């Protein structure tokens, strides 16, 4: 659109009539390449064009307009090329020269207009305004550079980028539309009624009222910013004012949320944010997320933001610069993410992996189910068949005896259950023979037996024992005993020889050797089984004193040793039988002798080995999050694999208690290390013994990988070690790719694996450096990133190619536990074998306004210095929880036709989700995921 102008200077000035409710006027001047100016509604466009047309007759200007949802925005007014002029538009320098070296714009807007249109509130909005004076932008190279950046930033803004940035400025909830918004306000209204005094809500209660109970300082910042908009300094608000505030913070527009965020820092309302104001906003965010360390370093991070957004060093930033930072959020985040040769580019599209044929899909699903469960399946099938056969055999045997004529089917059922009890009482010992299982893991038996499920199998057999006891004892007490004592003399005569020709009474049956031993076993087993249940073992049952001592690990541990007496009573019970008199027919001892001797041998070996494996404490490190580490001398001939664990006993605390801990050192290290979290009586006492009572110096710090200084020690407590014992993670070398997931202290078993993989990498690099054949390409050398299948489809020799470690924790201090290890992994892993990902769940996710600025600071600092602001390592920390489906999808995409070992250590809640995803992705993709878990 063109209009003639008589002035040689390129300018436009016009007066617009505003709506009656404003009762004021405003003037706007648009010059050269200025950024977009929003009009006050579409009705102003005809006035603007008419006034522009009256200006003159000779020269033309070119007007660029942008249509938005509810406004028309003037984006550019520039000289147009005439027929006599050049074909291209004049440059900015030519315009400046033609206007005498300056660009002038004037705009008169009073305070009422600025209140009506929030985007006119600061000079950093799209219309740079003042109250009534003119702003003159001279031909200053610094100002011109900043203005050029503003124009470029405006042109780069798109609707999609604004929508992405909007996700990072959420004050209330992800969805505040229609019904959800009404429901949220209803809850706010209810809280107002509870918190208000004299129908006024106090400033300090604003956070509690809007749902920011744990971010009160941040909520007060929002309150003050919204109060300044009303040009008031207030400390209390009414319900109407609260509703007005609520509408503003729940606004779904990016500009509205951005303005609130800007106003929180712009405390003096000058439209500019200084470094000190940025620092204050960072401290608001750090306080909301309970990041004390970040608050201490807020000044440095504020300087980092100013360095990025204020390269001209004017000492302040404006709204458009903050907008640019948020719009470029994804760019900063992607640049700061860890990149490796293993993660650049994905080699397959998952949608092409699913067979199109229904028959093929069903076949593949069945195949995956068989591959996942065949080991457990055949063991359970064999066990059920054997138990069923024993019950049927004993039932049939007693059915054909004279005793069944007296006691009917009650006695055969009781005897059948007793036969299964003999077998199960023998089998229940095998899954807890740790040394035997550890040895079997190293044999080919691991291909056929699911040793990882030994505890589940132990629990399953225990349940079968409980059922067998109920059937056996219940039939005796409630069925065949009453039938026996009430039987007629004729029927009793058939079995009188078994009772020394004297009919027993109910009391004599109960007080006999068989009766007393049976009742005693039932009582002892009931105590042991009840205290071993999850609720009692994990202290989830609250009992009054002194019964509260019946809950917890100690009660479980001691009560389980009552089962030793049960086995003695079982042998006696199986010896004094009424209907069996020959010794070779009394088979109880035959069932349990071998497993019982094996278990007794294991306990004896454990006692002897622990005496031999007495260790010296080299270093004690007190770490954040109620964790401390012990670095011990490595006993002679002590060999272990990464992922295994050991038992520790401190005789000074208790000569009986042994507690398991994952080994965090690598097999190649010349020391042993464990990290212990103080969550129980024993661990708390262990920490006190080694850090307070003994004379061994304790240190607040972390263990360095490959570097250890032995400290002088005098009079330290004795510590015994038993192990190592097998764990699921020790089989990590059987998989092409590893996905290691640690929840809190559950990261400990994977530290040894990471160190072990890194030792292998270092050895390979050393061998390569000493090798004269250096003509191989990096691609052929980097076998870590190659597929495990040849082009012909034949599988190569299996080895671990990549490892992905995800550490999820609630406490920022947790990253101090393995800071040295993770730094060295990131520094030495040149080939991209290992990817490390830290997740901090206590910080609000990256879409929340309370963590937006922290996210940007983190990304900027990691991109510039390569150090994460929370963990202090090279590994960038993510906020909230991982999207596990995305994690599995990426691994499946990068590693087609591979077997991925998913190892998890942590609380049971996450195990279900990971197991479900492992099954789902194994069915949908060509990558097979095998899930293994450990609980702590």
């Amino acid at each position: 659109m063109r209009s003639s102008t008589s002035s040689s200077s390129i300018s436009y000035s016009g007066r617009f009539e505003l709506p009656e409710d404003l009762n004021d006027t405003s003037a706007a001047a648009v010059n050269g390449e200025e950024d977009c100016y929003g009009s006050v509604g579409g009705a102003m466009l005809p006035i603007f064009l008419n006034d522009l047309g009256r200006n003159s007759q000779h020269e033309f200007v070119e007007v660029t307009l942008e249509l938005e949802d509810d406004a028309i925005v003037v984006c550019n007014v520039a000289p147009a090329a005439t027929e006599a002029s050049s074909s291209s538009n004049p440059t900015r320098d030519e315009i400046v020269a033609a206007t005498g070296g300056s660009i002038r714009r004037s705009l008169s807007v009073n305070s009422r207009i600025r209140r009506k249109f929030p985007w006119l509130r600061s000079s950093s909005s799209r219309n740079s305004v003042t109250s009534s004076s003119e702003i003159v932008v001279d031909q200053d190279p610094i100002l011109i550079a900043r203005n050029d950046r503003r124009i470029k930033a405006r042109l780069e803004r798109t609707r999609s980028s604004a929508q992405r940035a909007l996700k990072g400025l959420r004050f209330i909830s992800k969805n505040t539309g229609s019904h959800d918004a009404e429901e949220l306000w209803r809850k706010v209204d209810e809280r107002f009624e509870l918190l208000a005094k004299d129908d006024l809500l106090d400033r300090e209660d604003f956070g509690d009222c809007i749902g920011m109970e744990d971010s009160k300082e941040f909520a007060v910042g929002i309150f003050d910013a919204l109060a300044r908009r009303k040009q008031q300094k207030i400390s209390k608000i009414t319900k109407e004012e609260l509703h007005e505030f609520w509408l503003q913070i729940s606004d779904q527009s990016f500009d509205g949320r951005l303005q609130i965020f800007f106003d929180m820092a712009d405390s003096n309302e000058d439209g500019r944010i200084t470094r000190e104001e940025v620092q204050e906003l960072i401290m608001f965010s750090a306080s909301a997320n309970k990041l004390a360390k970040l608050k201490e370093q807020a000044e440095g991070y504020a300087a980092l933001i100013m360095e990025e957004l204020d390269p001209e060093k004017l000492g302040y930033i404006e709204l458009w610069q903050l907008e640019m930072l948020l719009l470029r959020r994804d760019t900063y985040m992607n640049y700061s993410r860890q990149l490796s040769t293993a993660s650049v580019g994905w080699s397959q599209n998952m949608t092409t992996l699913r067979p199109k044929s229904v028959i093929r899909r069903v076949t593949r699903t069945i195949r995956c189910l068989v591959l996942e469960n065949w080991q457990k399946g055949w063991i359970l099938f064999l066990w059920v068949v054997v138990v069923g056969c024993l019950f049927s055999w004993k039932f049939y045997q007693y059915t054909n005896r004279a005793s069944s004529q007296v006691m009917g089917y009650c006695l055969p059922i009781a005897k059948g259950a007793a036969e299964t009890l003999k077998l199960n009482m023998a089998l229940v010992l095998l899954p807890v023979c740790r040394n035997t299982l550890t040895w079997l893991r190293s044999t080919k038996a691991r291909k056929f037996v699911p040793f990882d499920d030994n505890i589940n199998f132990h629990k399953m057999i225990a349940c079968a024992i409980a059922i067998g006891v109920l059937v056996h004892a219940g039939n005796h007490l409630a069925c065949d005993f009453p039938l026996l004592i009430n039987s007629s003399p004729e029927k009793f005569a058939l079995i009188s020889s078994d009772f020394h020709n004297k009919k027993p009474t109910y009391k004599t049956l109960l007080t006999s050797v068989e009766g007393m031993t049976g009742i005693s076993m039932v009582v002892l087993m009931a105590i042991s089984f009840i205290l071993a249940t999850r609720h009692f073992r994990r202290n989830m049952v609250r009992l009054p004193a002194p019964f509260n001592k019946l809950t917890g690990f100690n009660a479980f541990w001691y009560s389980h040793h009552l089962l030793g007496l049960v086995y003695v009573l079982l042998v006696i019970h199986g010896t004094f039988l009424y209907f069996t008199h020959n010794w070779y027919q009394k088979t109880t001892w035959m069932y349990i002798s071998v497993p019982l001797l094996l278990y007794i041998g294991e306990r004896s070996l454990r006692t002897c080995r622990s005496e031999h494996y007495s260790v010296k404490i080299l270093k004690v490190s007190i770490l954040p999050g109620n964790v401390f580490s012990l670095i011990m001398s490595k006993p002679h001939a002590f060999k272990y694999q990464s992922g295994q664990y050991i038992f520790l006993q401190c005789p000074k605390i208790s000569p009986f208690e042994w507690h398991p801990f994952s080994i965090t050192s690598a097999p190649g290290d010349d020391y042993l290390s464990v990290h212990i979290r103080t969550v129980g009586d024993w661990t708390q006492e262990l920490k006190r013994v080694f850090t307070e009572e003994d004379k061994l110096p304790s240190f607040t710090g972390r263990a360095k990988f490959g570097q250890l200084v032995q400290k002088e020690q005098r009079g330290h407590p004795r510590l015994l070690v038993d192990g190592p014992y097998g764990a699921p993670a020790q089989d990590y070398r059987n998989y092409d790719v590893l996905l290691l997931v640690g929840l809190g202290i559950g990261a400990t078993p994977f530290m040894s694996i990471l160190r072990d993989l890194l030792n292998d990498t270092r050895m390979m690099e050393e061998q390569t450096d000493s090798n004269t054949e250096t003509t191989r390409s990096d691609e052929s050398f980097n076998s870590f990133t190659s597929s495990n299948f040849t082009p012909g489809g034949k599988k190569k020799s299996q080895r671990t190619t990549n490892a992905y470690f995800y550490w999820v924790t609630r406490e920022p201090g947790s990253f101090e536990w393995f800071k040295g290890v993770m730094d060295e992994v990131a520094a030495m892993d040149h080939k991209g074998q290992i990817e490390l990902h830290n997740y901090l769940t206590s910080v609000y996710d990256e879409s929340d306004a309370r963590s937006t600025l922290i996210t940007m600071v983190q990304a900027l600092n990691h991109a510039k210095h390569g150090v994460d602001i929370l963990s202090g390592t090279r590994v960038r920390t993510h906020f909230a929880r991982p999207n596990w489906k995305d994690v599995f999808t990426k691994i499946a995409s990068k590693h087609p036709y591979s077997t991925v070992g998913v190892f998890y250590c942590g609380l049971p809640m996450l195990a279900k989700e990971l197991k479900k995803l492992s099954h789902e992705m194994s069915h949908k993709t060509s990558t097979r995921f095998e899930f293994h878990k450990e609980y702590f």
Side-chain angles (χ1 to χ4, degrees), residues 470-488:
L470 289 175
V471 174
H472 177 73
N475 270 277
H476 275 323
L477 296 175
C479 189
D480 56 35
F481 281 7
L483 290 175
L484 174 61
I485 62 178
N486 294 320
S487 62
S488 62

Side-chain angles (χ1 to χ4, degrees), residues 10 30-34 75-79 92 95 103:
I10 305 164
V30 185
N31 314 293
E33 296 281 333
E34 292 297 332
C75 286
N76 185 38
V77 180
R92 180 184 180 87
I95 298 171
I103 300 175

